[in-house]
Structures are given as C-alpha cells and as structure tokens.
C-alpha cells in the first residue's frame, strides 16, 4: 500500500463519467415509467368511461 | 496430551483478536440487533476460521468456491430481495428515482479517495461499500478479484446496520431547520398492474444495454420483483422472499468469514477500508441531500431535502430514519412514502452503479 494523493485528481474522471451515466440511465427509466403510467392510466380512464356508458 | 499442547501453543495473539472481533459481531447482532442475519454468521465464522489448524477452513473454501467465487449466492439472494421490494411508491412518483441516483455520489467520491492508497480495482471494490447493499458489494469485489473481500463485507454490513446512527448527524449538518420542516403531502396515485409488470423488464433491458456487466445483478433483482408482481406466482414469490433468502443468507455470512482469517484480516488496510466505507456512506447521504436542495431551486413544489438521504439504498432503514427525523421536527410531517420511494430507487441506482464500476474496471 502506497500513498499517492495525485491519484485522487487523476481519477476524478471516473466520478464525472459515473455520475453522468447514472443520471442518464435513471433519467431514461424515469421517462419510460412516466410514459408507462400515462398510457396505462389513459387505458384505465377509457375502460372506466366505457363501463359507465354500459351501466347507463 | 501432546496434541493439546501443540494446539494450544499454535494459538497466536492475532487469532485471539479475531475471536474478540467475532464475539463483537455476535454481540452486535444479538444485543443491538444490527443486521443479525449476516453479522451473527460472520461473527461465528470469524471464530471458526481462526482456531488453530481449523478443519472448517477446507469446508468453507468449498462453499466459497461453490457460491461466492462464481457470485452465485449474492445473485440468488437478489431474487429474494427483488421479491421483497414493492416499487409502487416509486412508480407512483418516478421523479423520486433521481434522488436515488444522486445518492450514489459517495461511491465515486470514495473511489477517488481509495485510489490514493490502493490500486484501482481494489479502490473500486472498496468504493462499492457505498452501495449500502451487501450482495452488490460481494459481486463487485469478487468480480474485480479484490483481496479485501472480508473487510469490505464487514464494513458494508456494519455500516448498513449503523445507518440510524450515521445518517441523522449528517442530515442535520447538511440541512436547515426550515428545510427539515418542509411538508410533503402524499397523493396516492393508482399504479396499474401492467406498469408493475413491465417496470422490472424495462429496467433489466436498459441496464443490460448500458452496462452489460451489471445485467446479472439487475436481472436477478428484477426477476424476483417480476415473480412478486405478476400475480400468478404467489407461492414462488413467498418462497423467494423467505425460504430462499434465508437459506442463502445462512451460507453467505459464514462463507464470507473465510476471508476473516487473522493473517489476511488484521492489517492496517482493514482499518483504512472501514474508514473509507464510512466516507462512502457520508458522501452518499450528502449527495442525495444536496441534489434535493438543487432540485428545490427549480421545482414548483418543494421537497424535503432529507428524503435525498434515503437514496443511500440501505433498505428500509434509511427510509425509516428520514421519516422519523421528519416526525421529530414536525409530528404532522409524514415523509414515509416519499422516503421509502427514494430508498427503493437507491436500491436500483446502487445496482446500476455497481454495473458501471464493473464496466469501468473489468
């Protein structure tokens, strides 16, 4: 084990790439989940409206 | 009598220290109820492998090769964990996932810190303690062939258990009283069964494309969740959550103790790894909180920055800590659903972080 403080600076690129990558991946997942929620909610609303019409 | 003298004289002070450490882990597990499912087998195993001429070492080596070297045990455990997680609070408010991403900051900060002392692969293995997730730590450290697996595991599970002690002072240090008093009303949004079923599949596909090395981690976690949410495999879901998870946990703890032999474990590096693990947890917590503060600058509806701290993964302790702190500040401020949502997102983000680390260094 050796102490080399300069490694902290030279490896900061991993921190930058890592954090940006995580945010991109999670961002894509968030967007897809919102889309999925939207689509399935619309389907649910349409189904409810149809059920209400049928009841009438 | 000769053999008795021979055995007694073979005991080294280092082994005695390991017995004490083993005893301490057992005490923490039983008396303090700190991650008892893992700390108790690890504590007992630490004593077992540090007896002179221990015959258990060979058996544990077999178990290690059968379940840890090939990452089988942690991955199977992930099926159980996936089956235990309810993603509903997260799915009803997907933005919460961003806080989970931010709270992985400690992993990458610790990677830089650890690289000052260790080579990059060991530094990455140590940094992943910040995933606050035992199986991910095992898979990454083993895949990167780290020789510090024992110390990494002790640090990971100890700090996970210590979340209620570690996080509150950091949260208080990083937030003002006014921020801690921000109320977050919970609006129950219906999450469809289709969304619950498609979510684990989508996550697996995305993670697999971005970080192919993480697909085993993410895939097993999400497979467990799919079993839970599909609605037709309740018996399998129940088995994964209980019998399977318990069975693997029994072997996981005691097998990892193989890496707690005195000659390997009692080194200055172990203390350093414990210190770096703490750094990872602290900066994870701070990362989540400061991201929430930045979010509040742009958001119409402010969030309580404390929920950012729950992105640390350690599930469900971290979510509960934030909820309790919210109640301590204002008895009418119920943050549980938000903090658990962030907590669950931290579980996903930490696995993705583990995959990215593997992508960088494998």
């Amino acid at each position: 084990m050796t102490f080399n403080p300069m490694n902290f600076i030279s490896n900061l690129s991993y921190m930058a790439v890592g954090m940006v990558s995580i945010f991109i991946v999670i961002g894509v997942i968030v967007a897809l989940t919102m889309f999925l929620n939207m689509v399935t909610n619309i389907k649910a609303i349409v189904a409810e409206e149809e059920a209400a019409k049928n009841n009438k | 009598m000769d053999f008795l003298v021979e055995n007694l004289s073979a005991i080294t002070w280092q082994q005695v220290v390991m017995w004490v450490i083993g005893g301490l882990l057992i005490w923490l597990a039983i008396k303090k109820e700190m991650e008892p499912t893992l700390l108790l087998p690890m504590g007992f195993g630490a004593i077992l492998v540090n007896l002179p001429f221990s015959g258990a070492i060979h058996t544990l080596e077999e178990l290690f090769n059968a379940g840890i070297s090939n990452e089988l045990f942690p991955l199977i455990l992930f099926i159980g964990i996936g089956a235990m997680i309810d993603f509903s609070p997260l799915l009803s408010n997907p933005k919460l996932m961003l806080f989970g991403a931010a709270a992985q900051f400690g992993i990458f900060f610790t990677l830089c810190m650890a690289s000052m002392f260790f080579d990059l692969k060991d530094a990455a293995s140590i940094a992943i303690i910040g995933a606050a997730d035992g199986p991910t730590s095992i898979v990454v450290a083993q895949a990167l062939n780290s020789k510090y697996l024992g110390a990494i595991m002790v640090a990971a599970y100890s700090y996970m258990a210590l979340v209620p002690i570690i996080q509150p002072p950091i949260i208080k240090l990083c937030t003002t009283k006014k921020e801690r008093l921000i109320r977050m009303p919970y609006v129950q949004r219906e999450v469809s069964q289709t969304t619950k079923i498609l979510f684990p599949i989508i996550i697996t596909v995305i993670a697999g494309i971005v970080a192919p090395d993480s697909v085993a981690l993410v895939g097993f976690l999400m497979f467990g969740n799919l079993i839970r949410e599909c609605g037709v495999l309740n018996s399998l879901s129940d088995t994964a959550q209980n019998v399977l998870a318990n069975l693997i946990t029994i072997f996981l703890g005691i097998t990892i103790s193989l890496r707690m032999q005195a000659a390997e474990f009692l080194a200055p590096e172990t203390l350093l790894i414990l210190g770096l693990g703490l750094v990872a947890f602290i900066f994870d917590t701070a990362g989540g909180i400061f991201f929430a503060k930045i979010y509040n600058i742009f958001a119409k509806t402010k969030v309580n920055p404390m929920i950012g701290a729950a992105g640390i993964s350690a599930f469900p302790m971290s979510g509960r800590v934030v909820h309790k702190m919210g109640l301590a500040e204002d008895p009418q401020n119920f943050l549980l659903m938000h903090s658990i949502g962030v907590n669950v997102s931290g579980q996903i983000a930490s696995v993705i972080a583990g995959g990215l680390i593997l992508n960088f260094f494998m």
Side-chain angles (χ1 to χ4, degrees), chain B residues 28 35 38 51 54 111 129 173 206 214 217 225 273 338 359:
Chain B
L28 289 173
E35 291 287 327
L38 260 303
L51 294 168
S54 174
L111 168 63
I129 293 170
L173 196 68
I206 293 173
S214 77
L217 277 172
N225 190 252
I273 289 166
H338 303 286
N359 254 25

Side-chain angles (χ1 to χ4, degrees), chain B residues 1-56:
Chain B
M1 279 304 280
D2 283 352
F3 74 91
L4 193 58
V5 174
E6 190 187 347
N7 288 351
L8 281 172
S9 60
I11 297 171
T12 63
W13 68 267
Q14 288 95 337
Q15 286 173 328
V16 176
V17 172
M18 288 310 297
W19 299 349
V20 174
I21 291 173
L24 180 69
L25 292 178
I26 293 171
W27 180 78
L28 289 173
I30 296 171
K31 275 284 174 191
K32 301 288 174 185
E33 290 188 34
M34 285 170 57
E35 291 287 327
T37 50
L38 260 303
L39 290 192
L40 191 136
M42 282 170 77
F44 183 77
I47 297 168
L48 190 66
V49 298
N50 285 293
L51 294 168
F53 314 116
S54 174

